Amino acid sequence: MRELSLNVLDIAQNSISAGASLVTLSVCEDTANDWLTLTIADNGRGMTPEQLDRVRDPFYTTRTTRKVGMGIPLFRMAAEMAGGGLTIESVVGVGTTVTATFCLSHIDRMPLGDMAGTVSALIRLNPQLDFLYRHEVDGNVFELDTRALREVLEDVPLCEPDVMEWINGTLAEGLLPLNSQA
Amino acid sequence: MKSIAELQAIRDQARAKIAMREGSHEGTRIVVGMATCGIAAGARPVLNAFVEEIAKRNIQNVSVVQTGCIGMCQFEPIVEVLAPGKEKVTYGLMDAEKAVRVVTDHIVNGNPVAEYTVAKLMK
């Protein structure tokens, strides 16, 4: 993976396979403390403590469910390479939260990359699910919540080309003033 | 600035377009591999190129969907095109530029791009 936003796209697929109806993607840049925190949280079926233990193992994957594989180990490696780490909290029936931290100025921290592209791809491919994207840079926040868009759209699906164009435009306009350094 | 009022207008126009599409024949499916291997190899720009090109050309009845790993990770990004009544075409080592050509040659004109197919790449 050349961008952290690709890891986010990959990890979000686990939430989708876990039957989540809402996936929250959050990016928090704190330049004062030199930290970048990425969170992927879902309300999917969750994992048992035993499954959680094995997620660390790159050779643990269940071909029948494809819940995990190289995704988590690659994300963990990216975090650890940049002086941070990865934690997973999961409760069966409640959901899973994956949190990765990075030292912002670490020379080996991969660039965040195209988060708008990741959010856009997730919405386009999963119009029946809801996504909440929150991006914070030193207290300035941009948020996109598909639940709010759905209220406006009523019966029109999120994946309609004109709707996607509006979403892409909103992402671009909303992220620009944040002046992300990640 | 994008506004909610704009989204409401888009909704009303989209309703008319959806109504027009209803009852038309079953369409082509473009399936993009979006497992870890596909994403790492560059599936996201490929997917977004397909979506943009189809929207730009106002092509109806083509759906773009994702799949997992189909076991040919060395050829990712992999894209399958399933047109009704035609044999499945599997493209490998795709990028955004190739995606645009697949839309123009294969989706619009019905001529699969032989040189991008996995069958060709394996030779």
Side-chain angles (χ1 to χ4, degrees):
Chain A
M1 303 277 178
R2 281 173 292 243
E3 296 174 12
L4 296 175
S5 62
L6 293 175
N7 290 103
V8 173
L9 176 60
D10 186 31
I11 301 304
Q13 305 291 341
N14 298 346
S15 297
I16 294 160
S17 329
S21 62
L22 173 67
V23 183
T24 303
L25 309 170
S26 127
V27 178
C28 184
E29 300 175 40
D30 178 353
T31 54
N33 293 305
D34 201 23
W35 275 115
L36 167 67
T37 308
L38 304 179
T39 311
I40 300 102
D42 70 58
N43 62 353
R45 71 174 70 88
M47 285 180 281
T48 62
E50 294 75 44
Q51 282 176 309
L52 203 49
D53 267 352
R54 288 154 75 194
V55 168
R56 291 160 184 268
D57 177 1
F59 300 105
Y60 171 63
T61 182
T62 42
R63 273 232 157 213
T64 49
T65 66
R66 291 185 190 281
K67 267 171 80 176
V68 281
M70 290 302 286
I72 290 287
L74 283 171
F75 200 26
R76 179 187 299 277
M77 186 187 72
E80 288 177 353
M81 263 168 48
L86 182 134
T87 55
I88 309 172
E89 290 165 66
S90 192
V91 178
V92 171
V94 177
T96 301
T97 301
V98 177
T99 308
T101 54
F102 306 81
C103 176
L104 256 181
S105 63
H106 200 290
I107 189 120
D108 288 325
R109 182 183 60 79
M110 276 191 286
L112 181 61
D114 186 8
M115 268 309 293
T118 282
V119 174
S120 171
L122 283 168
I123 296 173
R124 175 62 183 73
L125 291 169
N126 307 280
Q128 74 288 1
L129 304 184
D130 279 309
F131 293 92
L132 169 59
Y133 170 46
R134 187 178 189 282
H135 196 141
E136 178 177 342
V137 181
D138 295 330
N140 296 316
V141 179
F142 167 74
E143 250 185 31
L144 183 92
D145 187 342
T146 58
R147 290 171 298 186
L149 305 185
R150 212 180 283 283
E151 260 177 50
V152 176
L153 290 169
E154 296 168 5
D155 55 327
V156 171
L158 286 160
C159 61
E160 257 315 286
D162 298 340
V163 175
M164 283 311 302
E165 202 187 315
W166 184 91
I167 290 173
N168 292 338
T170 301
L171 286 168
E173 280 177 11
L175 291 175
L176 196 63
L178 286 183
N179 203 11
S180 166
Q181 302 297 312
Chain B
M1 195 69 196
K2 300 276 171 195
S3 66
I4 290 295
E6 211 181 330
L7 189 60
Q8 280 165 342
I10 289 168
R11 173 196 67 200
D12 297 338
Q13 288 161 11
R15 274 200 187 120
K17 287 186 189 171
I18 293 166
M20 257 179 6
R21 281 204 300 265
E22 259 166 29
S24 51
H25 61 88
E26 187 201 342
T28 298
R29 281 161 57 86
I30 298 173
V31 185
V32 183
M34 295 285 284
T36 304
C37 51
I39 292 170
R44 187 185 62 191
V46 170
L47 167 86
N48 289 337
F50 271 111
V51 168
E52 272 167 35
E53 194 63 21
I54 286 162
K56 202 162 78 185
R57 292 172 170 272
N58 199 19
I59 299 168
Q60 305 293 325
N61 286 315
V62 170
S63 54
V64 183
V65 294
Q66 66 176 334
T67 188
C69 170
I70 61 168
M72 295 193 293
C73 309
Q74 69 272 34
F75 293 121
E76 293 282 358
I78 292 173
V79 174
E80 296 173 332
V81 176
L82 297 107
K86 302 253 173 67
E87 217 172 304
K88 175 176 81 179
V89 179
T90 306
Y91 294 109
L93 303 179
M94 290 294 287
D95 58 32
E97 255 173 61
K98 291 178 181 175
V100 171
R101 176 137 175 240
V102 167
V103 171
T104 51
D105 288 15
H106 190 167
I107 308 296
V108 176
N109 294 321
N111 303 315
V113 188
E115 59 194 283
Y116 300 163
T117 59
V118 166
K120 183 87 179 177
L121 293 169
M122 280 176 17
K123 270 179 196 162

